[in-house]
Amino acid sequence: MTAGAQAPPRSGARGDEIRIGIALSAMGFVLAGLGACVAILARDLDEPTSRLALLSSGFAVGLLLVAVVGPRMLKLWSMPTVLGLGSVVCAVGAVLIAVAPAYVVAIAGGLLVGLGGALLVLVAPLMLNGPTAAARLSRVNAVASGTGILAPLAIGTLDGLGPSGRYAMLAAAPPLLFLALLTRRSRPPHPTASKPPWESKEEAGVPVLIDSAPAVGLGRKWRRVGRRVVMDVGAGWLRVVLSVSVEFCFVVWAVARLVASGLPTAAAALLGSAFPIGMAVGRAIGPIRYRGWSPVFPSGALAACGTLLVSLFDAPAVVALGLVVAGLGVAPLYPVTLAALVATPGLSSARLAAVGAMASGTAILIAPALLAVLARVVDLRTAYLVTLPLIAVLFLLSRRSDRAAFV
């Protein structure tokens, strides 16, 4: 990656990586459990499975809200403070999903998970920013994916023993609250500075892309930042949208797809760990680089192969294998595309991190819901094919990108 426009690595970088690892691991547990909870909540609350798709929409709305207010929050508060706040809010959301007695409470839990998780997602690329951002993001996301394996296993096991499997979501709260306690003891190096500490002095004279939020749009800033920069940011935003769209189609609907193949809910929740297993292995390996090729190409090809296995076959074992293959392929896409976006030269990293949060929110709001709509028209196995055109467009954007930072 090109690091010329990034801030130099901050002191205490190892500690930052550990804290972000804890945050994303707990959040990874919650997100990996959402798919299983969709099926279990539908059963427990006697609601249609498609209506529970709003559970992931709550997370998406949280990301979009934080994309709007995030940059201003980071001007007022230190990154550890934002990290601690996000941890507490995410913990409360996980508890609500676990114990929800009604549909509205479950959706409220999803919204709080989204708000808290979005704050964690917002500060992660900033705290890990630097020349090795893609590798560091891949490492912490690998740990998060590894923790995510435990969610469907715990949910399926608990559900098979008698209690509702969603009670397993309570396990995410203690590490999040512990992280919040850790961050209270942290002190920013310049607590009264009017400028965020991660922005270098050289950035002071560089006009930022957006005044307060990605949702504001370009407006009068178009001429100040230049058409090429705007196109780079737009392409980077769309790449993140496509990557997260493919990922969350599997995160949200993998267990439902296994149920549709004939498995009982508890067994499907257990086998639902296939996708996070693939994700954990893929992120542990990291982005695959071969000569001048973008890592998106081998990763996207694996994701497409996994999609075909999930869609074209109805045997549970083959579907589970497809989920593993898809997880291997999807794993590097988000870290690579997000790191490339945050590395866009000449723009504030904080603004670009917020653009990334907005991209993730947009994807999570639209993609799983689109798959649910298609599943009503055809069936879930056929609806999964929607991920193939998303991967194809990502290929096209990656091929046309001539920015070295992206590969």
Side-chain angles (χ1 to χ4, degrees):
M1 287 183 60
T2 299
Q6 294 178 337
R10 298 168 57 243
S11 61
R14 185 62 178 170
D16 287 344
E17 195 167 332
I18 291 173
R19 282 188 290 176
I20 292 298
I22 294 173
L24 296 189
S25 295
M27 191 180 75
F29 183 93
V30 174
L31 294 184
L34 279 183
C37 283
V38 165
I40 291 175
L41 280 166
R43 181 200 65 196
D44 291 352
L45 304 180
D46 195 24
E47 294 281 353
T49 303
S50 58
R51 196 174 180 217
L52 267 301
L54 284 177
L55 200 63
S56 65
S57 298
F59 180 58
V61 170
L63 282 168
L64 293 174
L65 289 175
V66 169
V68 172
V69 302
R72 286 183 177 174
M73 289 180 66
L74 289 170
K75 286 184 177 181
L76 297 173
W77 299 335
S78 68
M79 284 190 283
T81 300
V82 176
L83 185 66
L85 176 63
S87 299
V88 172
V89 174
C90 191
V92 173
V95 170
L96 288 181
I97 291 172
V99 302
Y103 173 79
V104 174
V105 178
I107 299 304
L111 177 59
L112 290 179
V113 165
L115 287 168
L119 291 173
L120 304 181
V121 169
L122 179 69
V123 299
L126 296 176
M127 294 181 75
L128 302 182
N129 198 14
T132 58
R136 298 176 76 195
L137 281 168
S138 290
R139 277 198 299 270
V140 297
N141 277 285
V143 176
S145 296
T147 307
I149 296 171
L150 301 177
L153 292 176
I155 290 171
T157 301
L158 188 62
D159 201 69
L161 293 174
S164 178
R166 58 193 171 101
Y167 291 144
M169 297 287 271
L170 293 170
L176 287 168
L177 296 177
F178 173 69
L179 179 62
L181 182 63
L182 281 181
T183 56
R184 283 198 64 185
R185 300 175 182 177
S186 302
R187 293 292 183 268
H190 303 290
T192 59
S194 60
K195 184 178 178 64
W198 61 87
E199 291 187 11
S200 62
K201 292 181 180 178
E202 288 77 8
E203 285 185 294
V206 179
V208 297
L209 178 62
I210 300 156
D211 279 325
S212 61
V216 172
L218 296 174
R220 302 174 185 174
K221 302 293 183 182
W222 176 276
R223 293 177 183 173
R224 294 179 63 188
V225 300
R227 182 182 296 266
R228 178 58 187 275
V229 175
V230 170
M231 294 297 291
D232 278 350
V233 173
W237 177 86
L238 185 54
R239 284 192 291 262
V240 175
V241 168
L242 293 167
S243 300
V244 177
S245 293
V246 175
E247 179 176 339
F248 267 77
C249 281
F250 286 97
V251 167
V252 174
W253 293 110
V255 173
R257 173 68 188 97
L258 288 164
V259 170
S261 71
L263 288 176
T265 303
L270 283 169
L271 271 183
S273 63
F275 182 70
I277 286 173
M279 289 277 288
V281 173
R283 283 181 172 161
I285 295 171
I288 299 174
R289 287 177 167 80
Y290 179 72
R291 296 182 179 177
W293 288 87
S294 165
V296 165
F297 287 97
S299 300
L302 273 175
C305 289
T307 297
L308 292 174
L309 289 173
V310 169
S311 298
L312 301 183
F313 300 90
D314 215 27
V318 179
V319 174
L321 175 63
L323 293 174
V324 173
V325 174
L328 283 169
V330 168
L333 296 180
Y334 174 69
V336 167
T337 54
L338 178 63
L341 175 62
V342 175
T344 303
L347 298 177
S348 163
S349 295
R351 304 287 190 243
L352 291 168
V355 173
M358 187 189 71
S360 297
T362 302
I364 298 168
L365 185 65
I366 295 174
L370 174 62
L371 195 150
V373 170
L374 290 175
R376 293 177 188 172
V377 177
V378 284
D379 56 20
L380 188 56
R381 62 182 289 187
T382 306
Y384 252 104
L385 293 172
V386 74
T387 59
L388 295 181
L390 299 179
I391 295 169
V393 176
L394 184 58
F395 279 172
L396 180 62
L397 288 174
S398 302
R399 175 176 177 151
R400 294 184 61 183
S401 174
D402 57 359
R403 284 180 49 210
F406 185 57
V407 293

